[in-house]
Amino acid sequence: LMKMKPFYAEKVWGGDFLSRIKGRKKSSPIGELLEVSVLKDCPSLYNDMPLYNFINENEISYCVKFIETTQNLSIQVHPGDDYAQEFENSRGKAECWLILEANPGEGIYLGLKDGVTKERFCDAIEKKEDLNELMNFYPVKRGDFFFVPPGSIHAIGKGVLLLEVQQSCGVTYRVWDWNRKGLDGKPRDLHIKQAMDVINFGPNMNNKEFFQYSPNGCADTNEYEMATHTDFSFKMLEGKKGEKIEVNLNTRGRPTSVICLKGIVGLNRAEEKQRLSEYMTVVCPKGDRPDKLMVEILSDECFLAIVH
């Protein structure tokens, strides 16, 4: 059971909450905690060494991160597997978001409004229009869930804290950045050509149903599935004090990650034990065969994210 240390990603739109919960001294704004990452330029750490020293990138095809926003993220899009392989030597990037907290009225920009064609969008870029005016905006609250396939234009709005599970890919094509400057005082790079190559303009790929919108992430069982993709499976597990819940590991033939979102739990795998509290993560390396993790709920209630 590998207790992880995150990679702290400084972002112009980040805040200080994620730093504070990890007991880190105040620094530049932190936008992302990469809890489980084998990406070369932003790896999470185990025993103060990059995770890719212990688990290679072929074994772990997903990435898990917390994101905190005090400003809007850039309007952006990610490529699918074929395009990313050809032009970036990478897998593509499908991702999903579980909203943990949001200021009232804040939300996300996701997909294009009805009737926005490629021509209209290109024209707006040429004329330096505010591109968010062409996009759907969804106010969010704790428990909301979205699946964001490659090619979906999006931006997480300000005042949001979420858990993101994604393919292990660092490729982002930035389309518009709200006319602001980056941490270095210069405008951040845009990637218009690549973005136009991959954006989904079809009406059926820009509506709420396409993004598997769920107004809350709850079901009547202890464990329930949020999203399934070739490169990751994302489940939620909830329990009350004193419960012991068995979790199957290696169900997808790769390491399982356990992220505590609320409460305190004890983890037991064979002879190994770990204790997790909020915003802590453990990676369970792949064994020779599928095995079990026993989760004991130690607080009044608990929510865990399980990623295979």
Side-chain angles (χ1 to χ4, degrees), residues 40-104:
K40 289 290 188 282
D41 57 347
C42 48
S44 49
L45 304 177
Y46 173 63
N47 283 348
D48 294 322
M49 289 190 287
L51 179 60
Y52 56 67
N53 285 357
F54 303 92
I55 298 174
N56 70 53
E57 56 193 290
N58 297 321
E59 264 190 273
I60 192 159
S61 53
Y62 60 80
C63 180
V64 181
K65 59 176 78 163
F66 290 109
I67 295 178
E68 177 199 7
T69 66
T70 59
Q71 300 178 35
N72 296 328
L73 271 70
S74 63
I75 287 177
Q76 59 187 246
V77 67
H78 307 298
D81 289 333
D82 292 345
Y83 190 94
Q85 187 60 54
E86 182 175 353
F87 294 101
E88 307 286 355
N89 192 29
S90 167
R91 54 170 54 88
K93 187 177 176 186
E95 60 191 18
C96 56
W97 305 326
L98 177 66
I99 308 299
L100 302 178
E101 300 290 346
N103 293 336

Side-chain angles (χ1 to χ4, degrees), residues 144-172:
D144 286 355
F145 178 78
F146 297 85
F147 189 90
V148 185
S152 304
I153 190 160
H154 63 275
I156 301 168
K158 66 182 186 296
V160 175
L161 177 70
L162 58 79
L163 180 75
E164 177 175 292
V165 179
Q166 58 162 88
Q167 287 177 275
S168 182
C169 165
V171 180
T172 295

Side-chain angles (χ1 to χ4, degrees), residues 10-279:
E10 296 180 1
K11 301 288 184 181
V12 66
W13 41 262
D16 65 359
F17 175 75
L18 292 176
S19 292
R20 283 190 285 112
I21 59 172
K22 296 288 186 175
R24 193 172 191 248
K25 290 189 173 71
K26 189 162 174 55
S27 62
S28 297
I30 299 299
E32 299 179 345
L33 293 183
L34 285 94
E35 293 285 312
V36 183
S37 169
V38 291
L39 295 171
K40 289 290 188 282
D41 57 347
C42 48
S44 49
L45 304 177
Y46 173 63
N47 283 348
D48 294 322
M49 289 190 287
L51 179 60
Y52 56 67
N53 285 357
F54 303 92
I55 298 174
N56 70 53
E57 56 193 290
N58 297 321
E59 264 190 273
I60 192 159
S61 53
Y62 60 80
C63 180
V64 181
K65 59 176 78 163
F66 290 109
I67 295 178
E68 177 199 7
T69 66
T70 59
Q71 300 178 35
N72 296 328
L73 271 70
S74 63
I75 287 177
Q76 59 187 246
V77 67
H78 307 298
D81 289 333
D82 292 345
Y83 190 94
Q85 187 60 54
E86 182 175 353
F87 294 101
E88 307 286 355
N89 192 29
S90 167
R91 54 170 54 88
K93 187 177 176 186
E95 60 191 18
C96 56
W97 305 326
L98 177 66
I99 308 299
L100 302 178
E101 300 290 346
N103 293 336
E106 304 298 1
I108 60 170
Y109 298 87
L110 182 56
L112 296 163
K113 289 179 178 174
D114 281 351
V116 176
T117 61
K118 187 170 185 176
E119 292 69 31
R120 171 71 185 97
F121 195 76
C122 287
D123 188 52
I125 292 173
E126 288 271 318
K127 292 177 178 172
K128 298 188 169 13
E129 294 180 31
D130 292 355
L131 296 186
N132 60 302
E133 298 292 338
L134 303 180
M135 296 176 64
N136 299 313
F137 178 78
Y138 300 111
V140 298
K141 64 185 184 308
R142 181 182 180 89
D144 286 355
F145 178 78
F146 297 85
F147 189 90
V148 185
S152 304
I153 190 160
H154 63 275
I156 301 168
K158 66 182 186 296
V160 175
L161 177 70
L162 58 79
L163 180 75
E164 177 175 292
V165 179
Q166 58 162 88
Q167 287 177 275
S168 182
C169 165
V171 180
T172 295
Y173 298 143
R174 211 176 285 130
V175 186
W176 186 62
D177 201 26
W178 309 89
N179 305 315
R180 70 176 158 209
K181 294 184 169 59
L183 290 170
D184 61 359
K186 300 174 184 173
R188 296 198 294 170
D189 291 340
L190 300 179
H191 316 92
I192 304 296
K193 183 200 175 298
Q194 297 97 318
M196 298 310 293
D197 284 347
V198 304
I199 291 173
N200 296 327
F201 285 95
N204 60 339
M205 292 187 285
N206 283 280
N207 56 38
K208 195 181 265 193
E209 291 70 34
F210 182 67
F211 303 118
Q212 296 180 9
Y213 174 77
S214 167
N216 59 65
C218 292
D220 294 330
T221 57
N222 278 109
E223 194 173 341
Y224 43 97
E225 193 161 73
M226 305 296 289
T228 301
H229 182 275
T230 312
D231 283 334
F232 61 81
S233 161
F234 174 22
K235 295 183 177 180
M236 286 292 295
L237 184 131
E238 61 176 305
K240 303 212 176 298
K241 191 167 187 174
E243 283 188 283
K244 292 187 177 180
I245 304 165
E246 198 172 70
V247 174
N248 290 317
L249 302 178
N250 307 335
T251 59
R252 301 290 290 269
R254 51 184 172 245
T256 297
S257 298
V258 180
I259 306 97
C260 185
L261 302 179
K262 184 176 183 180
I264 304 170
V265 296
L267 304 180
N268 194 334
R269 182 191 194 189
E271 300 303 309
E272 288 186 89
K273 293 186 177 180
Q274 279 286 5
R275 185 183 170 100
L276 277 193
S277 54
E278 289 176 12
Y279 300 100

